[in-house]
Amino acid sequence: MGSGNQESIAPSNSSTGSRLITSLVAPAVKLWLRSQVEAATEITVRLDGRDRDILAGRLPQAQINAESVIYQGLHLSHLNLQATNIAVNLGQVLRGKPLRLLQPIPVSAELKLFAPDLAASLAAPLLAPALADFLAPLLALWGRPVTFEQPQATLAGGQLILSGAIKRQPVQLCLGLELVDPQTLQLCNPQWLNQAGEPIAQGSSVHLPLGEDVAINSLSIEPEGLQCTGTLLVRP
C-alpha cells in the first residue's frame, strides 16, 4: 500500500485488553491486512478482547473498515467487516512470525461499489470468468461467433448496464440483479440495445451461483453504486 494510506488500530475500551492488543497483536493484524489486498486507504481496525482470551490465541471480536480497497483486481469503494472468535497463532506471533488464521471464520460484510469502481472491476480474476460464462449464451443470440469488446459498467434505473462494441458497433447490455436465495444471484431479463437505445436482442434470465463460502443477505442498485450485505467464510 502506498505512503498516502491512513491506517489506525483501535484497541478494546477495556483496560485489561488494550495494552496487550496494541503492543503485540495489532501490528501483526496490520501486516496481515496489508498482505491480503493490493491497495486500500483509510484502514481502521478495532480489536476487542480480554488478556486471557488473547493469550489463548483467540480474538473475541474484530472490526475492519476500509475505503478504496483492491482485492484480486476487484475494486471496493467501501468495506466493513466484523468477525468474532478468531483463532490465531499467537505463540508464533510473539516470536516474530506473521499472523495466521488457525480455522475458518464467518465474517459479516457490508460493501459498496460506486460506478467507477464497478467498471474497473470487470477484468478482475473474481469477475472476469463469471462475466465470460454469462455473456456466452447471450452472444449466441447474434447467430454468429462474436465478442463483446471493452465492456464498461454503469448503473441506472435499478439496472446494470454494460456498454461496449460488437463488430465495432456500439451496443449496450441492460439487466437487473436480484437475489434468488443468499447463495444465488439472478441476472434478470438481459436485453441488447443499439446505439440509439432500441432493443435488438433479448436473452433469458440466468442464475449465478455464488459458491458455498458466500451468502448475500441484501442487494440494492442505487444511481451512485451497488450496495450489499452478507457473510463470507474466510479460510486460513
Side-chain angles (χ1 to χ4, degrees):
M1 286 189 268
S3 59
N5 295 338
Q6 300 178 15
E7 303 174 9
S8 62
I9 303 291
S12 166
N13 287 331
S14 70
S15 59
T16 58
S18 60
R19 179 170 56 85
L20 187 62
I21 292 175
T22 301
S23 61
L24 299 177
V25 181
V29 172
K30 181 177 177 179
L31 289 174
W32 183 78
L33 288 171
R34 282 181 169 179
S35 72
Q36 300 302 303
V37 299
E38 299 166 40
T41 61
E42 299 182 27
I43 297 177
T44 301
V45 177
R46 179 181 177 83
L47 305 176
D48 290 294
R50 296 175 296 180
D51 280 352
R52 65 183 182 183
D53 296 320
I54 303 301
L55 288 171
R58 189 168 297 275
L59 303 179
Q61 186 170 351
Q63 179 173 328
I64 299 168
N65 290 281
E67 306 291 331
S68 303
V69 178
I70 303 177
Y71 174 72
Q72 295 188 19
L74 187 65
H75 292 238
L76 305 175
S77 309
H78 170 77
L79 178 66
N80 175 273
L81 302 175
Q82 296 188 55
T84 58
N85 296 322
I86 308 164
V88 297
N89 59 331
L90 182 63
Q92 293 179 334
V93 170
L94 296 178
R95 296 194 295 273
K97 301 295 184 180
L99 180 139
R100 181 169 54 86
L101 299 179
L102 298 182
Q103 62 188 35
I105 55 170
V107 176
S108 298
E110 176 185 350
L111 63 87
K112 298 178 182 179
L113 280 78
F114 298 140
D117 289 322
L118 181 60
S121 297
L122 291 181
L126 293 177
L127 285 186
L131 181 62
D133 290 343
F134 167 66
L135 287 175
L138 293 178
L139 291 171
L141 294 172
W142 294 78
R144 59 187 186 276
V146 294
T147 58
F148 193 25
E149 303 161 4
Q150 299 179 328
Q152 296 293 315
T154 56
L155 299 165
Q159 288 189 312
L160 170 63
I161 301 173
L162 300 178
S163 302
I166 293 179
K167 296 290 185 178
R168 299 185 180 181
Q169 297 298 314
V171 295
Q172 289 185 335
L173 175 61
C174 300
L175 53 96
L177 299 176
E178 294 181 358
L179 286 176
V180 177
D181 57 55
Q183 293 183 307
T184 308
L185 183 65
Q186 180 172 247
L187 310 178
C188 307
N189 303 317
Q191 186 176 57
W192 292 102
L193 308 178
N194 61 18
Q195 190 173 10
E198 301 167 335
I200 51 179
Q202 179 79 42
S204 301
S205 298
V206 176
H207 285 186
L208 181 65
L210 300 174
E212 62 180 7
D213 290 348
V214 177
I216 296 180
N217 299 326
S218 67
L219 174 70
S220 63
I221 299 178
E222 308 294 339
E224 67 275 9
L226 184 150
Q227 302 184 45
C228 72
T229 63
T231 59
L232 57 99
L233 188 66
V234 177
R235 299 182 182 274

